[in-house]
């Protein structure tokens, strides 16, 4: 008999430390393009450095997720960057479709790791050599893509998507902004006393094993949304290089890169709202 109680047992608590962090045989469409360097630098949070102004969008079906999660789909837009010798991506927009109101999928990603997770409608479907992808939130199709698997590529395909060694573990990183949103001190209006406490930059260690990868060219359309402003990073040309990938990945622990204090804490404040909707700030 399960422990049907608000009070967990010691064994149950210990079991939470034994969850499998690996996502098995996920499939995804990954798209990449370059944008204006000045725009890239303006949107990238202070503390992170860029090499080339490369944006990556992806729509993924996690068919066998870790953490005892149910299968779910995600759409993400991210920026290539690094902190010191840790190279990876900064996910600036993340929308997930989860089954049966499984909010633990959102909770673990957003609260534990720092992903800017929100819920929406995400679709990825492949038929023969054609792939369609869609990410919708608040009735806005934030991302729509149609891709065709082909040996033909656009310029810079090898640079944007260097061929990975198959069946070999590859280490990477995903950077996040973590902070505490507090509202102590005002008994009449908590928003007047709301502060963003202890902002910090962290990165999650990610290990990926690619089983199969196919090149493609994708036609990408990004809808305009004040809540999910992916359009700010839209490609100038609607046709971009893409890959379709069958892969495993594991999320490891977070590493603290930087704490923002004093003047830097004020400077980083405008970058901390990627997991919030505009209506919170609208008059």
């Amino acid at each position: 008999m399960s422990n049907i109680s608000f009070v967990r047992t010691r064994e149950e608590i210990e079991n939470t430390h034994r969850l499998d962090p690996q996502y098995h045989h996920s499939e995804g469409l990954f798209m990449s393009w370059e944008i204006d360097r000045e725009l890239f630098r303006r949107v990238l949070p202070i503390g992170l450095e860029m090499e080339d102004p490369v944006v990556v969008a992806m729509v993924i079906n996690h068919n066998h997720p870790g953490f005892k999660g149910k299968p779910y789909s995600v759409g993400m837009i991210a920026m290539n960057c690094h902190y010191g010798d840790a190279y990876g991506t900064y996910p600036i927009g993340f929308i997930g479709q989860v089954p049966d109101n499984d909010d633990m999928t959102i909770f673990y990603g957003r609260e534990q790791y720092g992903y800017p997770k929100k819920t929406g409608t995400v679709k990825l479907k492949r038929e023969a050599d054609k792939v369609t992808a869609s990410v919708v939130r608040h009735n806005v199709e934030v991302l729509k893509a149609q891709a065709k698997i082909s040996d033909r590529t656009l310029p810079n395909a090898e640079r944007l998507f260097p061929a990975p060694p198959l069946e070999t573990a590859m280490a990477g990183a995903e950077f996040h902004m973590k902070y505490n949103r507090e509202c102590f001190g005002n008994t009449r209006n908590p928003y007047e006393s709301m502060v963003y406490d202890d902002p910090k930059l962290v990165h999650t260690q990610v290990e990926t094993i690619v089983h199969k990868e196919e090149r493609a060219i994708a036609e990408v359309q990004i809808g305009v949304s004040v809540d999910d402003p992916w359009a700010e990073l839209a490609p100038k040309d609607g046709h971009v290089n893409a890959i379709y990938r069958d892969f495993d990945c594991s999320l490891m622990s977070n590493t603290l890169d930087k704490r923002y204090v004093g003047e830097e804490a004020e400077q980083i404040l405008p970058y901390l709202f990627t997991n919030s909707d505009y209506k919170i700030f609208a008059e």
Side-chain angles (χ1 to χ4, degrees):
M1 181 68 179
S2 298
N3 175 34
I4 309 300
S5 171
F6 284 106
V7 182
R8 296 294 119 192
T9 67
R10 174 65 62 180
E11 182 181 11
E12 287 173 324
I13 294 172
E14 291 176 353
N15 283 340
T16 64
H17 302 156
R18 302 189 182 102
L19 294 176
D20 178 11
Q22 189 169 52
Y23 292 67
H24 301 274
H25 282 286
S26 297
E27 57 180 329
L29 178 67
F30 295 74
M31 298 149 279
S32 186
W33 60 88
E34 292 186 78
I35 63 171
D36 179 77
R37 294 186 69 88
E38 286 71 24
L39 170 61
F40 192 98
R41 181 61 269 177
R42 181 177 68 82
V43 177
L44 191 68
I46 57 176
L48 287 172
E49 301 297 331
M50 71 174 187
E51 294 288 316
D52 295 321
V54 173
V55 174
V56 180
M58 59 199 79
V59 182
I60 298 170
N61 289 336
H62 285 306
N63 300 312
H64 305 283
F67 303 100
K68 291 189 176 180
K70 297 180 179 180
Y72 67 99
S73 300
V74 301
M76 185 167 74
I77 191 166
M79 309 170 73
N80 281 5
C81 58
H82 70 97
Y83 180 86
D85 59 359
Y87 285 78
T89 60
Y90 170 63
I92 196 169
F94 194 120
I95 296 172
Q97 178 171 330
V98 299
D100 302 327
N101 299 318
D102 182 19
D103 54 357
M104 289 298 96
T105 298
I106 300 297
F107 171 81
Y108 280 117
R110 186 169 62 198
E111 306 305 325
Q112 180 168 300
Y113 283 103
Y115 286 91
K117 284 191 173 185
K118 302 176 182 179
T119 57
T121 302
V122 181
K123 303 294 183 185
L124 174 68
K125 184 177 181 180
R126 177 173 179 175
E127 295 179 324
D129 64 348
K130 294 182 180 180
V131 182
T132 57
S134 175
V135 181
V136 178
R137 189 166 184 271
H138 292 173
N139 298 316
V140 176
E141 192 164 31
V142 178
L143 183 141
K144 179 180 180 180
Q146 295 180 318
K148 184 176 181 180
I149 307 298
S150 171
D151 293 333
R152 188 173 70 89
T153 60
L154 299 174
N156 296 326
E158 292 290 342
R159 184 171 64 84
L160 295 175
F161 288 120
L166 300 183
E167 307 299 341
T168 302
M170 299 180 295
E174 290 181 332
F175 296 94
H176 311 289
M177 291 291 164
K178 285 184 62 65
Y179 54 88
N180 301 317
R181 187 182 284 129
E182 308 282 11
C183 56
F184 292 106
N186 189 310
T187 58
R188 297 179 60 85
N189 186 347
Y191 287 103
E192 290 184 4
S193 60
M194 187 164 60
V195 297
Y196 297 83
D197 185 50
D198 192 24
K200 48 187 175 289
L201 172 68
V202 304
H203 75 265
T204 304
Q205 300 173 61
V206 182
E207 186 175 88
T208 303
I209 299 175
V210 177
H211 303 299
K212 185 178 181 180
E213 184 172 282
E214 299 168 276
R215 294 195 177 274
I217 294 176
E219 181 180 353
V220 175
Q221 297 175 330
I222 299 185
V224 176
S225 168
V226 294
D227 294 325
D228 303 286
W230 295 23
E232 187 171 23
L233 303 179
K236 296 177 182 178
D237 185 343
H239 291 84
V240 303
N241 281 295
I243 56 172
Y244 194 81
R245 176 180 285 178
D246 173 8
F247 65 101
D248 294 350
C249 67
S250 297
L251 299 182
M252 307 303 185
S253 61
N254 273 353
T255 297
L256 175 63
D257 295 318
K258 178 182 179 64
R259 267 198 161 91
Y260 297 91
V261 296
E263 184 176 340
E264 278 197 327
E266 290 294 322
Q267 293 173 347
I268 200 62
L269 183 62
Y271 297 87
L272 300 183
F273 302 98
T274 56
N275 65 2
S276 302
D277 282 353
Y278 177 78
K279 62 186 176 185
I280 295 179
F281 319 105
E283 295 182 0

